[in-house]
């Protein structure tokens, strides 16, 4: 895993491009940076796996990962604490204890982004 300061994630505001992750999911520059530098494409894939079922039901999703003792809990909500999906992850080496990403439906695809890019 590359070494960098997680505070760098806060420097991403907006995006200059979308990066295809799945047929109906794209990453912003910040989400792509997170996936590449934390070796966390698995996290992007996990979040993206729930989004097709939420199309036409939700327009905004908050995806929070909480890591403790090399296990994690991925929780997707509507942004107002209404649970949409939950996944227990039995092992991860994700280096920070918690992170939240947002997913917004654009009408054609889901845009997965860092909160600072919202």
């Amino acid at each position: 895993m590359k070494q960098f300061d997680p505070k760098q994630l806060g420097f991403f505001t907006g995006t200059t491009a979308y990066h295809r992750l799945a047929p109906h999911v794209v990453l912003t520059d910040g989400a792509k940076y997170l996936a590449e530098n934390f070796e966390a494409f698995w996290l992007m894939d996990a979040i993206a796996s729930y989004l097709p079922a939420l199309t036409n039901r939700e327009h905004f999703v908050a995806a929070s990962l909480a890591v403790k003792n090399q296990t994690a809990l991925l929780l997707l909500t509507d942004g107002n604490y209404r649970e949409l999906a939950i996944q227990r992850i039995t092992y991860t080496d994700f280096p920070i204890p918690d992170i939240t990403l947002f997913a917004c439906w654009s009408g054609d695809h889901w845009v997965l982004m860092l909160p600072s890019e919202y």
Side-chain angles (χ1 to χ4, degrees):
M1 186 171 311
K2 298 177 184 176
Q3 294 296 320
F4 77 103
D5 183 355
K7 294 176 190 164
Q8 293 175 355
L9 297 175
F11 294 126
F12 288 94
T13 57
T15 194
T16 60
Y18 290 136
H19 311 276
R20 180 81 43 203
L21 177 70
H24 294 289
V25 181
V26 296
L27 303 176
T28 58
D29 294 335
K32 181 177 182 254
Y33 181 86
L34 172 72
E36 289 175 342
N37 287 276
F38 277 105
E39 296 178 2
F41 278 101
W42 63 268
L43 175 58
M44 304 304 158
D45 288 340
I47 295 167
S49 72
Y50 291 101
L51 296 176
L54 300 175
T55 303
N56 297 322
R57 288 186 24 213
E58 303 293 332
H59 295 314
F60 178 87
V61 175
S64 300
L65 182 74
V67 178
K68 184 176 181 184
N69 298 326
Q70 295 185 312
T71 64
L73 185 68
L74 177 61
L75 175 65
L76 277 66
T77 70
D78 66 354
N80 290 315
Y81 307 106
R82 183 171 57 91
E83 184 180 305
L84 303 172
I86 191 166
Q87 179 178 343
R88 296 185 196 301
I89 298 165
T90 57
Y91 174 79
T92 183
D93 61 355
F94 196 72
I96 57 176
D98 56 73
I99 193 162
T100 299
L101 289 98
F102 294 156
C104 295
W105 178 247
S106 75
D108 294 321
H109 52 262
W110 287 95
V111 179
L112 192 52
M113 67 190 76
L114 300 176
S116 61
E117 295 175 300
Y118 182 70

